[in-house]
């Protein structure tokens, strides 16, 4: 097989004499070495290292243009062939024809391998003297290993680029969408059927319905759903168990006492909820009469009826076939009554659960699973055939069979289910009835697709017009390009004219970007609003969190490269830091690790570290550059908020829902205002007079004072044993409420700030998020000031391979950092109460952040390398954080998106691949649009800002109209 030629030269590479040689092919290797081979080898032997053009690794062939570096691999092989014998090689070259190229290539490889076997390590005469004696010798094996490594990576990049990955992701999305559409058309689109009939256990007690998510209802939610409702349970002792479990969702203190073989009433007067159990252990005339009464128009009908019985019939009649025949006759007479009731009420027939025959008492030995299956088949057949021309309205509750099959071994008597199984069945009943009423985010079962809002319809029209506009523009541009294509003179073989492609117009970039964005937003909507793809609940285990963490750490270490600069927190290092933190946070979210407190506390530090970098990075920029212009501010605000604003429109979510972006946006404005207000103190001014440093410290002290004032202005924040009110509680402070407005709440409750920072009608979520990391941005600014001051006075040693301080100081600081890092981890791992740990977090999180920075930067060798794998993800970390809400996770981060059901590992691989490709494309779209929408010219920028202000005013008006129509 012939070896493919190396990739073509990059557009920015200078043209050299070597460029005129053309592509080096295996057929050319046998012709002997060209004259440029030895100079290139001499350049390589000088020991000068240079980063690879595409991969970021050290170049295998030293300095020179990228084209020379590409040709180096062919020339080395040519030299090997020449050493074996130029005369023989020349003869071989003369015999090579296009048809026999593969044979010539194999012959060249054979000669190259023979040369490597014969070649002995020798000193390179052309090498310049180096400080280390080992560097004087260059070995053929090492050189060829580097040659093969670079060649392999370039070939991979050539055939599998980011662009080809995105094309593959697009094809995967289209195929998956078609498959899911076909599946829903064939199997039906009613998730209630899946909830009532199928599912599996995640672990021991967590039930996962097929294709949808089940919400765990709290007491207040259950009462709110069932207010003024009447629910009736009719049947035997198993139905009585289900009744008790259902009532305990409303009132956990309700006790199972009294005569078990009689009717049991329950009523909650605060919510006007009435739940009754009616003792009818057999399907007979007594049950029929009870149901018949409800069919009369003058009698109030229950809103929900849950019925079922069979085991008593088996037991009383000793499992005879006559009893089964009588059961069929009785249920046939009851079926029309149930069907009539189902037109106005929700009617569920509960199939009989299996038994554990080994535990059954002697008087129940006739109740076998074979008999139970026969009774269930009869009930299903009769109920489904009760209506001739349409589907039965009576819903068969068969999922309890699946639950019992997994848990019946835990039964005390072999007949009645353990309490955990009954609770699961009761929660399924609650989901079936209440999900369509309360519409919980993490309860996708039995929920219809939400209707499109006015803003969503307008957004769909805009993106559709953008796609059509770009297609028209593309067709016109392509036709014009064909007309202007230069024709070839048949006699001379030369082109008559040379047409230079015109630069891409801003309009084309704008239309193309919005076209791509429209397609991406369609995918977002399909994943998390259209109910096209499946969703599942999260389930945490230690292995689902820690095994992926170990895997990505190994990958990150494997892609280890040298940095361009060795300063503290250089660009490659900060990208690497953001990258691995983002990957850990993603694994944290998809594994549901927030339920494990030690992991939660460490993830809180990672979020704080992001904000620390915000303070460090923006302070350093303003302090060094002194650029307080409006263009810089608009660029940062646009890049931070563009995707979130689009998602707020398309996904119908408030701005505060994507809490991290409001957080970094507000802190960026705080940093900007702090440094831009008079007197503007920058490094250039402070170098002339040390008093300006003191002035900047006063500014930072005033900022800290303002932060403390806002944090402690909410004086009525209370913890534990507080009487519950109607005020919402914080998600991570379950016993924490605010019942008095402070300065913070008054500021962010003002219109139009309230439209940005309110969630569910209040600013408590925003208050919690801001307060949790209120000091870390200040710490980042202070660290940047101290570091830049030390750097200016040349106190730090930031050379390659050098420790940051003297050996003694570096070792001491390194020891203190390691101890501090481990101390914080031990404290976080020993946390028992989330509220108390959250209270201490704002003050102590900086300890582990600073410890990590010192550990990472004090040793010179650690500061000189970085992981390109993590750095790549760090460049799109913001997009990854935001996109995960809808196209990697599901139900607004509460669940997991399922593209490939039945294979969790393959599903994660495919969904992650698409998710990363989408995030990378959105990052590029944002950068392209930022260049167009935020121009550098101030007059043009002011006009664009006026248009943006008008757009947001219209958005606020439409949002107000929507809110009124909803209420």
């Amino acid at each position: 097989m012939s070896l493919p030629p190396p990739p073509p030269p990059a557009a920015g590479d200078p043209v050299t004499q070597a460029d005129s040689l053309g592509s080096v092919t295996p057929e050319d290797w046998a012709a002997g070495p060209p004259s440029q081979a030895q100079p290139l080898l001499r350049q390589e032997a000088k020991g000068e290292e240079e980063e690879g053009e595409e991969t970021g690794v050290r170049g295998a062939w030293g300095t020179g243009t990228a084209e020379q570096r590409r040709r180096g691999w062919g020339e080395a092989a040519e030299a090997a062939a020449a050493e074996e014998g130029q005369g023989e090689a020349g003869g071989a070259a003369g015999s090579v024809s296009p048809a026999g190229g593969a044979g010539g290539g194999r012959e060249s490889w054979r000669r190259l391998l023979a040369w490597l076997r014969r070649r002995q390590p020798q000193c390179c005469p052309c090498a310049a003297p180096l400080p280390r004696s080992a560097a004087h010798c260059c070995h053929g094996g090492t050189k060829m290993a580097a040659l093969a490594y670079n060649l392999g990576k370039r070939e991979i990049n050539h055939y599998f680029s980011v662009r080809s990955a995105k094309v593959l992701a697009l094809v995967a999305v289209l195929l998956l969408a078609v498959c899911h559409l076909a599946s829903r058309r064939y199997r039906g689109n009613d998730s209630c059927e899946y909830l009532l009939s199928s599912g599996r256990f995640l672990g021991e007690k967590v039930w996962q319905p097929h294709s949808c998510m089940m919400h765990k209802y709290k007491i207040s939610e259950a009462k709110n759903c069932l207010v003024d409702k009447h629910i009736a349970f009719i049947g035997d002792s198993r139905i009585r168990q289900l009744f008790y479990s259902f009532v305990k969702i409303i009132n956990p203190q309700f006790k199972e006492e009294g005569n078990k073989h009689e009717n049991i009433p329950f009523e909650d007067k605060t919510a006007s909820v009435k739940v009754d159990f009616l003792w009818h252990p057999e399907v007979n005339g007594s049950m029929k009469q009870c149901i018949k009464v409800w069919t009369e128009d003058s009698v109030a009908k229950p809103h929900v009826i849950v019925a079922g019985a069979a085991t008593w019939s088996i037991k009383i009649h000793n499992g005879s076939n006559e009893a089964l025949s009588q059961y069929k006759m009785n249920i046939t007479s009851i079926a029309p009554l149930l069907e009539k009731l189902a037109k106005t009420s929700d009617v569920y027939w509960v199939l009989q659960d299996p038994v554990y025959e080994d535990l059954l008492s002697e008087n129940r030995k006739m109740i076998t699973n074979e008999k139970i299956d026969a009774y269930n088949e009869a009930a299903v057949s009769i109920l489904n055939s009760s209506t001739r021309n349409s589907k039965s309205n009576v819903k068969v509750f068969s999922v309890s069979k699946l639950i019992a099959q997994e848990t019946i071994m835990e039964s005390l008597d072999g007949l009645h289910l353990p309490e955990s199984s009954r609770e699961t069945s009761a929660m399924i009943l609650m989901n079936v009835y209440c999900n369509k009423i309360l519409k919980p985010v993490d309860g996708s079962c039995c929920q219809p697709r939400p209707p499109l809002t006015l803003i969503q319809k307008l957004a769909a029209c805009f993106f559709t017009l953008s796609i059509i506009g770009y297609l028209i523009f593309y067709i016109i541009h392509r036709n014009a390009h064909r007309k202007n294509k230069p024709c070839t003179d048949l006699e001379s073989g030369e082109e008559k004219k040379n047409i230079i492609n015109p630069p891409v117009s801003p309009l084309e970039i704008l239309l193309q970007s919005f076209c791509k964005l429209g397609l991406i937003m369609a995918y977002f909507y399909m994943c998390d609003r259209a109910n096209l793809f499946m969703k599942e609940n999260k389930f945490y285990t230690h292995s689902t969190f820690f095994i992926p963490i170990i895997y990505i750490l190994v990958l990150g270490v494997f892609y280890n490269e040298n940095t361009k600069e060795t300063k503290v927190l250089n660009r490659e290092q900060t990208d690497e830091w953001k990258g691995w933190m983002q990957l850990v946070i993603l694994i944290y979210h998809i594994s549901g690790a927030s339920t494990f407190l030690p992991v939660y506390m460490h993830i809180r530090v990672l979020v704080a570290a992001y904000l620390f970098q915000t303070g460090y990075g923006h302070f350093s920029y303003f302090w060094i550059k002194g650029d307080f212009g409006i263009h810089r501010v608009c660029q940062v605000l646009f890049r931070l908020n563009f995707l979130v604003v689009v998602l707020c429109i398309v996904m119908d979510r408030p701005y505060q829902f994507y809490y991290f972006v409001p957080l970094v946006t507000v802190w960026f404005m705080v940093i900007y205002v702090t440094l831009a207000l008079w007197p503007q103190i920058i490094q250039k001014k402070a170098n002339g007079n040390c008093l300006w440093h003191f002035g900047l410290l006063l500014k930072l002290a005033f900022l800290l004072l303002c932060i403390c004032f806002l944090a402690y202005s909410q004086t009525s924040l209370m913890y534990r044993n507080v009487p519950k009110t109607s005020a919402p509680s914080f998600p991570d402070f379950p016993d924490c409420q605010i019942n008095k407005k402070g300065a913070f709440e008054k500021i962010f409750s003002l219109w139009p700030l309230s439209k940005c920072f309110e969630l569910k009608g209040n600013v408590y979520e925003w208050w919690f998020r801001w307060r949790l990391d209120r000091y870390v941005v200040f710490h980042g600014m202070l660290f940047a000031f101290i570091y830049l001051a030390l750097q200016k006075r040349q106190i730090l040693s930031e050379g390659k391979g050098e420790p940051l301080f003297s050996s003694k100081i570096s070792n001491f600081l390194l020891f203190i950092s390691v101890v501090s890092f481990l101390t914080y981890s031990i404290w976080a791992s020993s946390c028992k109460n989330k509220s108390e740990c959250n209270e201490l977090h704002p003050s102590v999180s900086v300890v582990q952040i600073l410890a990590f920075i010192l550990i990472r930067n004090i040793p010179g060798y650690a500061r000189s390398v970085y992981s390109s794998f993590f750095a790549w993800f760090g460049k799109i970390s913001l997009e990854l954080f935001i996109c995960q809400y809808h196209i990697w996770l599901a139900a607004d981060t509460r669940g997991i998106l399922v593209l490939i059901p039945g294979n969790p590992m393959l599903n994660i691989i495919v969904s992650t691949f698409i998710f990363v490709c989408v995030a990378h494309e959105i990052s590029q779209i944002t950068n392209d649009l930022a260049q167009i929408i935020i121009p550098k010219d101030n007059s043009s920028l002011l006009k664009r800002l006026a248009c943006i202000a008008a757009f947001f005013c219209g958005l606020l008006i439409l949002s107000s109209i929507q809110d009124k129509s909803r209420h």
Side-chain angles (χ1 to χ4, degrees):
M1 185 177 72
S2 61
L3 189 70
D13 289 342
V15 179
T16 65
Q17 183 182 0
D19 298 336
S20 62
L21 295 174
S23 300
V24 179
T25 63
E27 289 81 6
D28 297 328
W29 289 8
S35 59
Q36 287 83 3
Q38 292 304 320
L40 278 177
L41 291 174
R42 291 192 190 99
Q43 288 178 359
E44 191 276 334
K46 290 180 182 178
E48 299 177 2
E49 294 180 331
E50 180 180 354
E51 289 198 0
E53 177 188 328
E54 297 176 9
T55 62
V57 298
R58 295 290 177 183
W61 297 99
T63 58
T65 66
E67 179 63 18
Q68 288 172 330
R69 292 196 299 272
R70 288 191 186 94
R71 295 187 185 279
W73 64 275
E75 291 159 354
E78 289 168 359
E83 187 173 309
E84 184 169 353
Q86 292 188 5
E88 180 187 352
S95 63
V96 171
S97 64
R106 285 193 294 269
E107 182 66 19
S108 300
W109 279 111
R110 185 188 64 78
R111 291 172 181 164
L112 177 59
L113 293 174
W115 173 75
L116 285 176
R117 284 194 296 268
R118 292 196 312 271
R119 188 152 179 96
Q120 299 297 327
Q122 59 184 4
C123 294
C124 301
C126 56
L130 295 173
R132 297 182 182 179
S133 59
H136 286 283
C137 256
C138 49
H139 304 284
T142 304
K143 289 162 61 176
M144 293 310 297
L147 168 71
Y149 176 75
N150 281 286
L151 177 60
K153 294 190 75 171
R154 291 182 189 279
E155 287 298 310
I156 292 173
N157 291 337
H158 181 68
Y159 290 103
F160 190 77
S161 61
V162 175
R163 180 183 179 86
S164 60
K166 291 176 183 177
V167 173
L168 184 60
L170 177 61
V171 173
V173 169
L174 295 176
L175 289 176
L176 289 169
V178 171
C179 291
H180 279 268
L181 281 172
S183 175
R184 288 188 177 275
R185 182 173 292 273
Y186 174 74
R187 300 181 61 181
N189 197 28
D190 187 5
S191 58
C192 275
E193 291 187 5
Y194 296 135
L195 178 61
L196 292 170
S197 62
S198 59
R200 70 184 192 278
F201 272 104
L202 302 175
E204 296 181 357
K205 297 182 179 180
V206 180
W207 181 254
Q208 172 58 59
H210 176 71
S211 82
C212 62
M213 296 171 58
M214 192 171 75
H215 177 67
K216 187 174 182 180
Y217 278 89
K218 300 176 182 178
I219 299 173
S220 58
E221 293 173 326
K223 290 183 178 180
N224 188 26
C225 168
L226 301 176
V227 62
D228 296 327
K229 296 295 189 296
H230 178 204
I231 297 94
F233 289 80
I234 178 171
D236 55 13
S237 58
R238 287 178 159 187
I239 299 297
R240 183 182 64 239
Q241 282 188 312
L242 186 58
F243 159 79
Y244 278 125
S245 297
F246 188 87
V247 169
K248 287 181 179 180
I249 299 176
I250 306 169
N251 182 10
Q253 284 75 38
F254 188 73
K255 297 181 179 180
E256 302 181 19
E257 56 187 13
N259 191 349
K260 296 181 178 181
H261 294 173
E262 63 180 20
N263 299 341
I264 304 174
F266 169 80
E267 185 176 3
D268 188 297
K269 296 182 178 179
T270 59
S272 300
V273 179
K274 186 179 180 182
V275 185
D276 292 326
F277 168 71
L278 305 177
W279 173 253
H280 292 281
E282 289 189 86
V283 180
N284 53 19
S286 175
M287 179 183 285
K288 179 179 178 181
Q289 183 61 33
C290 177
I291 295 174
K292 187 176 181 180
V293 171
W294 288 332
T295 60
E296 298 176 0
D297 296 334
S298 59
V299 178
K301 303 173 181 60
H303 298 88
V304 180
I305 300 171
V306 182
T311 54
W312 270 66
S313 297
I314 300 173
K315 176 183 175 182
I316 292 174
H317 300 283
N318 201 26
S320 64
N321 293 330
E322 291 78 7
L324 178 60
S325 300
Q326 186 64 40
Y327 179 83
K328 292 179 180 180
M329 293 174 58
N330 291 338
I331 201 169
T332 301
S333 64
I334 290 176
L337 300 177
L338 293 175
E339 192 67 36
K340 185 177 180 180
L341 279 173
K343 295 179 180 179
T344 55
S345 305
D346 287 355
V347 180
Y348 304 95
W349 185 266
V350 181
L351 297 184
Q352 294 301 300
D353 303 327
V355 296
Y356 192 45
E357 298 180 9
D358 294 342
L359 289 179
L360 291 175
S361 59
E362 289 299 325
N363 61 343
R364 291 173 175 169
K365 286 293 185 181
M366 69 291 298
I367 306 175
T368 63
N369 288 322
E370 182 181 355
K371 292 291 182 182
I372 287 175
D373 290 340
Y375 276 74
N376 285 337
E377 289 175 6
V380 171
S381 176
I382 294 169
L383 291 173
N384 288 337
S385 61
S386 59
T387 55
R388 296 181 180 178
N389 300 323
S390 61
K391 187 178 179 180
S392 174
N393 292 319
V394 178
K395 301 178 180 66
V396 177
F397 193 84
S398 60
V399 70
S400 60
K401 284 177 52 183
L402 300 178
I403 297 172
Q405 288 173 1
E406 301 291 334
T407 59
I408 191 63
M409 289 75 71
E410 302 173 15
S411 172
L412 298 177
D413 57 7
L415 178 67
H416 298 98
L417 296 179
E419 187 173 358
S420 60
S421 303
R422 292 149 41 193
E423 291 173 352
T424 301
S425 297
M427 194 59 69
I428 291 174
L429 276 176
M430 190 69 73
N431 274 261
V432 171
Y433 185 76
C434 291
N435 281 3
K436 56 181 177 289
I437 298 174
L438 298 184
K439 296 180 175 61
V441 175
D442 59 341
S444 61
C445 298
C446 300
Q447 272 201 55
R449 181 180 63 83
L452 289 173
T453 64
L454 176 61
I455 295 177
Q456 286 176 314
K457 292 177 181 177
L458 292 175
C461 292
F462 171 78
F463 285 122
T464 303
L465 292 175
S466 298
I467 294 171
I468 295 172
Y470 176 70
L471 291 176
I472 295 173
F473 192 95
Y474 176 77
I475 293 171
I476 295 174
H477 181 76
R478 187 175 182 180
N479 290 336
H481 179 72
R482 283 180 176 178
K483 292 179 181 179
N484 296 329
K485 186 176 180 180
C487 56
T488 304
D489 191 340
L490 296 178
E491 295 181 0
S492 63
E494 296 180 353
E495 294 181 348
K496 292 183 177 180
K497 57 180 180 178
N498 186 18
I499 302 298
I500 299 176
N501 290 329
V504 181
S505 65
L507 178 61
E508 183 178 359
I509 296 176
L510 196 68
L511 289 174
Q512 185 185 44
S513 298
F514 281 122
C515 175
K516 293 179 181 178
L517 190 63
L519 295 175
I520 290 173
M521 288 301 111
Y523 178 64
F524 272 77
Y525 189 85
M526 285 192 302
C527 288
D528 213 17
R529 291 294 179 272
N531 292 334
L532 175 62
F533 299 118
M534 301 177 180
K535 304 176 179 68
E536 287 189 355
N537 295 89
K538 299 177 184 178
F539 178 70
Y540 174 75
T541 60
H542 292 320
S543 60
T544 57
F545 177 75
F546 289 103
I547 290 178
I549 293 292
I550 295 171
Y551 179 70
I552 65 165
L553 288 179
V554 171
L555 281 177
V557 172
F558 179 76
Y559 289 92
N560 193 20
E561 300 177 9
N562 294 324
T563 59
K564 293 180 181 179
E565 56 181 356
T566 56
K567 295 181 180 179
V568 174
L569 292 180
N570 54 69
R571 182 59 182 268
E572 289 96 344
Q573 189 183 128
T574 53
D575 283 340
E576 173 203 85
W577 192 7
K578 289 188 291 185
W580 70 258
M581 287 195 303
Q582 185 57 61
L583 292 176
V584 171
I585 290 174
L586 290 175
I587 296 171
Y588 165 81
H589 282 154
I590 201 168
S591 64
S594 59
T595 57
F596 187 47
L597 191 54
V599 172
Y600 166 82
M601 292 305 302
H602 283 87
I603 296 298
R604 291 309 325 164
V605 176
L606 300 188
V607 176
Y610 268 104
L611 295 174
F612 182 93
Q613 287 193 49
T614 297
Y616 172 84
H618 291 306
F619 178 91
S620 300
Y621 178 87
F622 290 127
W623 174 250
I624 296 172
K625 301 288 186 181
D627 179 13
F628 296 99
I630 190 173
H631 177 264
R632 164 71 179 178
V633 176
C634 293
Q635 278 276 342
V636 173
L637 293 179
F638 182 87
R639 293 175 187 274
L640 287 176
N641 292 274
F642 171 71
L643 176 58
V644 166
V645 171
V646 174
L647 287 178
C648 289
I649 294 171
V650 174
M651 306 303 291
D652 190 28
R653 283 293 175 263
Y655 179 65
Q656 178 55 36
F657 176 75
Y658 308 93
Y659 73 93
F660 186 74
V661 171
L663 204 58
V664 293
T665 300
V666 167
W667 280 117
F668 167 73
M669 293 306 300
V670 168
I671 296 168
Y672 175 78
V673 171
T674 301
L675 299 178
L677 285 179
W678 183 90
Q680 287 186 2
I681 306 174
I682 60 176
Q683 189 180 54
K684 186 176 180 180
K685 181 187 291 187
N687 289 338
N689 191 341
C690 291
L691 291 177
W692 287 116
H693 288 91
F694 180 72
L696 182 63
L697 290 175
L698 288 179
K699 274 191 169 186
L700 293 178
F702 180 74
L703 172 61
L704 180 61
L705 186 64
C706 293
I707 293 171
C708 293
F709 171 74
L710 289 176
Y712 294 101
S713 64
Q714 306 289 150
T715 55
S716 56
L717 195 62
M718 299 177 293
Y719 305 100
R720 295 186 305 276
N721 302 322
V722 182
K724 294 291 183 180
T725 66
S726 59
S729 60
F730 296 124
D732 293 292
F733 285 152
D735 299 308
C736 163
Q737 298 170 349
I738 294 178
N739 54 20
K740 181 181 177 182
K741 283 189 176 182
F744 183 93
E745 188 176 359
K746 289 178 180 177
I747 292 171
F748 289 100
S749 295
L750 295 174
W751 192 91
L753 288 179
S754 60
K755 297 294 293 183
C756 296
F757 296 101
E758 283 186 354
L759 193 64
K760 298 180 181 179
N762 57 73
V763 297
Y764 299 124
E765 174 73 14
W766 166 236
W767 154 259
F768 167 71
R769 298 293 182 185
W770 178 87
R771 190 173 184 270
L772 199 57
D773 296 303
R774 59 186 180 271
Y775 298 130
V776 73
V777 174
F778 169 80
H779 292 146
M781 297 172 67
L782 186 61
F783 176 82
F785 172 74
I786 296 172
Y787 162 67
L788 293 173
L790 294 175
Q791 186 188 60
K792 191 67 180 177
R793 284 158 179 75
Q794 299 181 351
I795 298 176
L796 305 177
S797 301
E798 294 182 304
K800 183 177 180 181
E802 297 179 358
L804 200 60
F805 303 97
S806 62
S807 297
K808 291 184 178 180
I809 297 177
S810 294
N811 292 335
F812 174 75
L813 291 177
L814 202 58
F815 173 77
I816 295 297
S817 300
V818 171
V819 171
S820 301
F821 191 93
L822 295 177
T823 301
Y824 180 89
S825 292
I826 293 171
W827 171 79
S829 301
S830 62
C831 276
K832 301 300 181 184
N833 186 285
K834 182 179 286 189
S835 300
E836 294 177 355
C837 294
N838 280 336
E839 271 295 286
L840 293 174
H841 170 76
S843 303
V844 300
S845 61
V846 70
V847 173
Q848 196 165 40
I849 295 172
L850 291 177
F852 172 80
I853 292 174
L854 293 177
I855 293 171
R856 184 69 177 81
N857 288 275
I858 287 178
Y861 58 86
R863 201 172 59 251
S864 303
V865 296
Y866 79 105
S867 170
S868 59
F869 175 79
F870 290 142
W872 190 89
F873 285 98
K875 293 175 183 177
I876 58 171
S877 59
L878 182 65
E879 288 77 15
L880 289 171
F881 191 89
I882 299 168
C883 290
Q884 66 167 328
Y885 278 67
H886 304 294
I887 63 171
W888 198 52
L889 304 174
D892 298 338
T893 74
R894 304 294 182 87
I896 300 172
L897 179 67
V898 179
L899 300 177
I900 303 177
N903 195 328
M905 182 61 68
L906 182 60
N907 175 69
I908 287 294
I909 293 172
V910 173
S911 63
T912 302
F913 174 71
I914 298 172
F915 159 61
V916 173
C917 289
V918 168
H920 189 273
E921 185 62 31
I922 290 177
S923 177
Q924 291 185 338
I925 291 172
T926 304
N927 292 333
D928 292 341
L929 291 177
Q931 303 302 321
I932 299 173
I933 298 177
I934 312 295
K936 293 184 178 180
D937 180 56
N938 283 337
S939 60
S940 301
L941 179 57
L942 291 176
K943 293 177 183 178
R944 303 283 172 83
L945 291 178
C947 295
I948 293 173
F951 167 76
F952 279 109
C953 288
L955 198 61
L956 286 174
I957 294 171
L958 291 175
S959 178
S960 301
I961 295 173
Q962 274 187 189
D963 292 341
K964 289 182 180 179
S965 64
R966 284 173 177 172
H967 292 309

